[in-house]
Amino acid sequence: MKIGLVSDTHSYLDPTIFDYFKDCDEIWHAGDFGNVTIYDQLNAFKPTVGVYGNIDGIDVRIVLKEDLIIEREGLKIYFTHIGGSPGKYPARVKQQMALHKPDVFVCGHSHILRVVSDPSYKNMLYLNPGAAGKEGFHKMRTLLRFEINAGKITNMQVIELGLRGKQI
C-alpha cells in the first residue's frame, strides 16, 4: 500500500501534490486543511483520511474528527493534529496512546518535518510531514511518501515542494 502524507495545507493545495501522489493508494492529511474544499479535492483524487486541525472551521470539523485510529497492512495508526513530539506529548495524546497502543503516530501543527522512532512507546514511528501550505514560519514546504507492506513501513521519501513563498 502506497501512502502520501501531507499536513498544514492552510487552504493552499500545491498542484504538484497530484503528481507526487499519483501512484498512492491513499492520502493521509494530519490537519489544518484550511477549508473543506482541500479535503474534497484530495478525496476526489485518491481516498483521503485525516483529522481536523486548530485552524479548521466547522466545514472541516463536520467531515473529520480530532482523533482517528485506523489499521493498514497490520499497523495501527493514530492521527491527531496537535500531537507534540517524542518526550513532549500532550496529556490527551498520551491517554490515547495508552488506550490504543499505536504502531504509528501521525501529527502536524509544528510545521517541522520529523520522522523518528519513539522508544518510549515500543519504537512507535512518529511521522510529521511538515507543512505543505504557504502559511507559517517554515521555509520549505514538504510531504512524505512511503509504502506499508505486511506491517512494515518502507521506501520513506521526503518531498520538497519548494520555498514557502514560491511554487515550483
Side-chain angles (χ1 to χ4, degrees):
M1 179 172 220
K2 295 179 180 179
I3 305 296
L5 176 56
V6 60
S7 187
D8 295 276
T9 46
H10 289 259
S11 300
Y12 173 71
L13 192 56
D14 189 309
T16 63
I17 288 173
F18 297 103
D19 293 328
Y20 288 118
F21 289 173
K22 70 179 183 281
D23 294 327
C24 292
D25 298 301
E26 276 187 346
I27 297 172
W28 296 356
H29 196 299
D32 277 1
F33 286 82
N35 60 63
V36 77
T37 303
I38 301 295
Y39 170 78
D40 290 341
Q41 289 176 314
L42 290 171
N43 199 44
F45 176 63
K46 298 285 180 171
T48 299
V49 298
V51 292
Y52 68 75
N54 58 297
I55 68 140
D56 291 321
I58 192 69
D59 62 331
V60 177
R61 292 173 188 238
I62 60 174
V63 176
L64 301 169
K65 299 176 182 179
E66 181 177 19
D67 295 298
L68 178 66
I69 305 291
I70 63 172
E71 291 195 26
R72 297 292 186 271
E73 299 284 325
L75 292 176
K76 187 181 286 187
I77 300 107
Y78 167 39
F79 292 74
T80 199
H81 180 62
I82 302 176
S85 61
K88 299 178 183 176
Y89 300 119
R92 186 185 68 74
V93 170
K94 287 180 186 177
Q95 289 172 345
Q96 292 295 314
M97 287 180 180
L99 178 65
H100 298 289
K101 298 175 180 42
D103 302 298
V104 179
F105 177 54
V106 175
C107 66
H109 185 64
S110 70
H111 293 218
I112 299 169
L113 171 71
R114 189 164 183 200
V115 176
V116 66
S117 224
D118 187 347
S120 301
Y121 288 89
K122 296 185 179 180
N123 288 321
M124 171 188 73
L125 184 60
Y126 173 95
L127 299 177
N128 185 326
K134 293 180 176 182
E135 301 297 322
F137 61 86
H138 58 287
K139 291 180 181 178
M140 183 61 66
R141 296 176 298 113
T142 55
L143 312 167
L144 291 174
R145 186 172 58 193
F146 55 91
E147 296 177 23
I148 306 174
N149 187 4
K152 302 275 186 210
I153 291 184
T154 60
N155 298 322
M156 180 69 66
Q157 297 174 303
V158 172
I159 297 166
E160 293 183 341
L161 297 173
L163 296 175
R164 179 173 41 89
K166 300 177 182 181
Q167 48 183 85
I168 57 173

